[in-house]
Structures are given as C-alpha cells and as structure tokens.
Amino acid sequence: MSLKRYIAIGILGGLWSCDAVVNKDTIIPEEPQIPQAVVESVRAINPNMSDVSLTRMANGELWQADFPSAMHRNLLLIDDSGEILFENRLVGKPQQLPVAVRNEANRIAQQGFIESASVIQRDAQTPAGFLVEVKMKDGQIRKLRFNSNNVLETDVPAAAPVRTTNLYLTTTEQIREDARIPAHIRQFFAQNQFAVAHVVVYVYEDQTAKIVLTNYQLTNKSVTSTEILLAADGKVLEWIAPLEKEISYEVTPQNETPAQLNALMTAQAPGWTWEYSVRERQFGKEAQWTTRGKNANQELFRALADYRTGTAFVIKTSIISTNDIPDATRQYLDSQWSSWQWIRGRKLQRTDKNLPEKYVVEVKINADSYMVLFDGNGKWLYQYKKSG
C-alpha cells in the first residue's frame, strides 16, 4: 500500500460520521492530526503498523482503528487518551445478512443477540441459505437455519460440544502430504482445490472433523474463512462460509445517553460534565454504550454498559504521585533508567473493584519524555518516547 492520506467529510459506511480518514502502511506519530497516544495504542497490538486505517469520528475525540492480523480483522474504538473503548476481532466475508433474516433472528432473540452468521453452501461456489446462531438471555444458544428464500426452516438448540481429540495446524499447500492427518481428510483436499490459506483441523471424539480455512484478502483487508464438517467416512455434513459480525460505532448526543449510564456517572462523580457518548451496534442491535465526563476536580470518569452480559460499571482516572505506584512499577523504572525523573501519572480503576485496571506514567530521561503503561499489578505493558 502506498503512503497516503486523505480527508473526507460526511457519513462513513452509512453510520460513522467522520471528518478525517488516514490510511498508511506506517503512521507517523509526529503528524499533528493523529494523537500520539492513539497511534501507540494501535502499535502495541500491531508493532509494524501494517495496513492500519484510522478514522476520526465526528466529535474529534474518538478514533476507529481497522487492521488485519493473520487470523482476524481488528476493529477498535479508541479515545484521544489512547484508551480502547470497544474492541472486536472479526472473521468472515464482509457481507450483511439479508434484512428479513436479521429481523427474524432479532425477533426470536429479543432479549439476546446474534452471535454469528454464515452462508450455507452446497459446495465451494453454491450458496443455499443462512445459518444464524443467537444467544438467548438465559445463555442458551439456538441455531436458526434459513433457506435460499430467507425463510426460517429450523430453530434448534445448539448441540453440546464434542470433545476434541486431535488438532492439526497446516496450510492448503501442505495438507495433502501431511501423513499425520487422517486419510479421508487428505482425500477431501485432493478432490477440492482451495486457494492458499491457513488450515486448522479439529478431529472430534465421534470421529467427525471440522476444517477451518482462513485467508487474508488483501483487496478489502478482510480475513475470510470457510468451515467444513466431515463425517468419519469423508462425507460433507456441513459447508458454511462465516460472515463478518456486523459491528458499527456511532457517536451520539448527550440526550441519547441511556439513563443507566447517567445515573452511574451521577453516583460516582456528582456534578459531572458530559464529554461524549458512543454506542456499539451488533447486527443492528445496541450491544454496548460508554460515556465520558469530568467531575468538579477535573477527574475523568467513564461509564460502560454491556447489554450482552448485563454488566455496567464506572472507571475513574485519578492523578497519582510516585508514592501511589506499585513496587513492580518502580522496580521496572529503576531497572530501565538509572536516573529517571517523575513528571506525572494516572491510575485507571473501576469504582467497584479494588485492583486498578492500569497505570500510565510519564517520566523524564535526560531531555526526553517517555510514557510507560503498566497493568493493575504494576507489570509493564508498553512504552513510547513522546514526540514534540
């Protein structure tokens, strides 16, 4: 990909209002348009910053990061301080479910969520319908099978998982010559030609086998997969092509923030002032919300509600001194730099838990400043030299 940058104003993907999109092989931290903390939070996951797309959301404080790995596509929402608000790992063809299928699945799971969706195939080329898994409020997983006319044919509970007895990791180029793998599986690959892909083979206790082929599509940055279930005699029991989970992030006005989050913020930060609210939709249904604000002392608070798990909590960001950091944090700083000087620090902690989520400290080394991040126990996560 060539090094390029462009500005766009309008609606992204029909949902994401944005005012800047940056696509680069390597994102330059010194570029004033992108907060360095945002870049470095992505770099901690993707050290080479390969195929990263960063989209600035409408309010200017939130960034959407999109980049692939070998086995999935990362879709993150990050605020200007570098905190990851929402994180999704997506696999599958980037194709939306037909409206009739999505609506019927959401109707059945009114108090639940669509967990996954796949195209049912007769073979490598011929689609025959859709398979949708929904997770009910009581935790039950139901499999909904739709025909090629998008009509629901079966609705059954997901079967209990069968114990895996063998697992093989290989590729489409190597599998036919791999003597470890049962002969009927190798024969299947001899009879079917697949593009170059990673292959995972699960052999179960009942001698059935699930084959998962994963392939990174450079043209659209998607990580696609195919799943094939074989009987012990090599007969194809199921052939599906998973679809990417439909995920969208949307900045919202203050008056759309759920009352639950407003109440949490008021309880933990009396007199708080609102900064932003944002929601995540999953297959068109609200899955998560988060809102950020400050109290009268200018301390940051962020409330989050996850409707998939029924959880809600508040994270408080407190200003700390050297006396507040864990021993492990101090030991790391001492071992890394013999003459470090404290500049400032922050502690992120859920108000309902004793263990902090994270420590973020800034130290001075000679003429340079470094940001260093640690987990709640004081264990080092990553660090970077501040630019500018």
Side-chain angles (χ1 to χ4, degrees):
M1 183 191 303
S2 61
L3 190 66
K4 63 181 181 179
R5 164 175 173 266
Y6 60 90
I7 304 298
I9 299 177
I11 301 299
L12 176 65
L15 277 175
W16 305 318
S17 180
C18 65
D19 58 9
V21 179
V22 180
N23 293 292
K24 301 186 173 181
D25 284 326
T26 302
I27 294 178
I28 304 172
E30 290 77 11
E31 185 169 355
Q33 180 186 19
I34 314 168
Q36 187 183 6
V38 172
V39 174
E40 300 299 342
S41 68
V42 175
R43 197 192 306 278
I45 303 171
N46 182 354
N48 296 322
M49 299 300 285
S50 302
D51 293 327
V52 173
S53 294
L54 277 173
T55 304
R56 186 170 61 200
M57 307 293 279
N59 71 340
E61 296 173 294
L62 299 170
W63 291 79
Q64 181 180 288
D66 185 346
F67 56 92
S69 68
M71 301 301 288
H72 59 263
R73 183 168 73 93
N74 295 273
L75 185 65
L76 315 178
L77 189 70
I78 308 170
D79 75 6
D80 52 3
S81 70
E83 288 302 309
I84 296 174
L85 308 182
F86 300 142
E87 181 175 6
N88 285 281
R89 295 181 174 183
L90 307 178
V91 176
K93 186 178 179 181
Q95 170 191 322
Q96 289 193 330
L97 276 176
V99 173
V101 173
R102 186 175 64 232
N103 289 348
E104 180 65 6
N106 279 329
R107 184 194 64 78
I108 291 171
Q110 291 184 29
Q111 301 300 317
F113 287 87
I114 298 175
E115 288 293 298
S116 66
S118 304
V119 176
I120 302 169
Q121 300 185 178
R122 292 191 179 91
D123 51 41
Q125 289 83 30
T126 313
F130 293 92
L131 180 65
V132 179
E133 288 195 358
V134 298
K135 186 174 183 179
M136 310 302 288
K137 190 175 183 180
D138 62 3
Q140 181 191 48
I141 302 292
R142 290 164 66 175
K143 284 194 170 187
L144 313 179
R145 190 176 292 266
F146 296 81
N147 63 24
S148 56
N149 294 318
N150 302 332
V151 175
L152 180 64
E153 288 190 331
T154 60
D155 171 5
V156 296
V162 181
R163 188 170 69 90
T164 301
T165 57
N166 284 291
L167 173 66
Y168 304 100
L169 305 176
T170 181
T171 67
T172 50
E173 300 154 299
Q174 299 170 345
I175 192 167
R176 282 177 288 180
E177 310 301 325
D178 193 336
R180 301 172 305 152
I181 296 173
H184 69 281
I185 297 175
R186 286 184 280 130
Q187 180 64 25
F188 172 79
F189 277 87
Q191 294 171 347
N192 294 272
Q193 299 301 314
F194 295 98
V196 176
H198 295 282
V199 179
V200 183
V201 179
Y202 302 87
V203 178
Y204 298 119
E205 195 171 30
D206 61 2
Q207 299 305 305
T208 59
K210 183 169 77 169
I211 300 165
V212 180
L213 299 96
T214 306
N215 183 30
Y216 169 39
Q217 300 290 331
L218 185 63
T219 52
N220 56 20
K221 294 188 181 180
S222 63
V223 178
T224 61
S225 63
T226 301
E227 298 182 9
I228 301 157
L229 186 64
L230 296 182
D233 60 1
K235 180 182 177 181
V236 175
L237 301 176
E238 186 172 70
W239 189 316
I240 63 174
L243 301 178
E244 270 194 352
K245 185 175 287 189
E246 295 174 25
I247 298 289
S248 64
Y249 305 138
E250 183 181 6
V251 178
T252 68
Q254 183 177 8
N255 60 9
E256 291 186 20
T257 305
Q260 178 187 24
L261 290 189
N262 285 325
L264 278 172
M265 292 290 280
T266 299
Q268 298 296 331
W272 68 285
T273 56
W274 176 85
E275 292 194 335
Y276 66 69
S277 295
V278 62
R279 65 183 159 207
E280 175 190 289
R281 292 185 185 274
Q282 178 176 309
F283 287 104
K285 195 171 184 179
E286 290 182 355
Q288 296 188 89
W289 273 89
T290 190
T291 190
R292 191 178 79 175
K294 288 182 178 179
N295 65 7
N297 297 324
Q298 296 300 296
E299 294 175 308
L300 278 177
F301 290 79
R302 181 163 64 88
L304 184 139
D306 188 338
Y307 299 147
R308 299 166 302 182
T309 60
T311 57
F313 54 86
V314 173
I315 295 177
K316 177 183 178 182
T317 301
S318 303
I319 304 300
I320 59 172
S321 70
T322 52
N323 296 326
D324 301 313
I325 60 176
D327 290 341
T329 296
R330 188 181 300 277
Q331 290 167 6
Y332 174 84
L333 295 174
D334 288 339
S335 65
Q336 188 75 4
W337 300 289
S338 59
S339 57
W340 60 273
Q341 293 179 292
W342 179 267
I343 298 178
R344 62 181 64 87
R346 292 179 284 130
K347 177 179 70 174
L348 284 71
Q349 183 169 356
R350 282 180 53 165
T351 56
D352 61 341
K353 290 191 173 182
N354 294 324
L355 184 69
E357 300 285 303
K358 187 186 299 182
Y359 291 90
V360 182
V361 304
E362 183 178 353
V363 294
K364 186 175 182 179
I365 314 298
N366 299 321
D368 298 319
S369 294
Y370 285 81
M371 300 296 296
V372 193
L373 285 81
F374 302 87
D375 69 11
N377 292 307
K379 181 180 178 182
W380 179 85
L381 298 173
Y382 66 92
Q383 68 192 46
Y384 59 89
K385 178 180 174 181
K386 287 188 69 177
S387 61

